[in-house]
Amino acid sequence: VTKALRYSVSSQFRQQLQDLLAQIRNTQPHFVRCIKPNPQNQPFADSLPGGGQGPGPPRRPLFDRPSVAQQLSYQGVLEAIRVARAGFPV
């Protein structure tokens, strides 16, 4: 007479976690994240209304650093970098 296998909540959780980790290890995820460099959606500062265009010094990119940092934070990029630096696979 064989006993039926009895699973505890803990053993079920461990098995599910092992299955999930195995699935994650077998995948090669990639992500495309779009970052807006500035709220005006303009490539250069001189392409804004009132900005001078024409011959002169090289065009200066319009880059809003706080906005970009906020987008990277919201998308989880900064946290992924922290995890990777801690030595965990990402």
Side-chain angles (χ1 to χ4, degrees), residues 35 66-80 82:
I35 305 292
S67 172
V68 170
Q70 184 180 38
Q71 291 174 68
L72 292 172
S73 177
Y74 287 163
Q75 292 184 10
V77 174
L78 300 180
E79 189 61 29
R82 284 187 205 102

Side-chain angles (χ1 to χ4, degrees), residues 31-49:
F31 301 95
V32 175
R33 292 184 171 95
C34 297
I35 305 292
K36 289 174 55 176
N38 58 66
Q40 295 85 10
N41 293 327
Q42 298 294 323
F44 298 101
D46 58 6
S47 61
L48 292 174

Side-chain angles (χ1 to χ4, degrees), residues 2-56:
T2 60
K3 283 187 176 180
L5 293 176
R6 296 179 66 193
Y7 292 106
S8 67
V9 172
S10 173
S11 65
Q12 286 179 337
F13 175 76
R14 275 183 292 188
Q15 184 60 46
Q16 290 175 353
L17 183 58
Q18 288 173 356
D19 294 343
L20 176 62
L21 290 174
Q23 184 178 5
I24 289 172
R25 287 186 192 108
N26 290 330
T27 60
Q28 295 181 353
H30 64 281
F31 301 95
V32 175
R33 292 184 171 95
C34 297
I35 305 292
K36 289 174 55 176
N38 58 66
Q40 295 85 10
N41 293 327
Q42 298 294 323
F44 298 101
D46 58 6
S47 61
L48 292 174
Q53 293 182 358

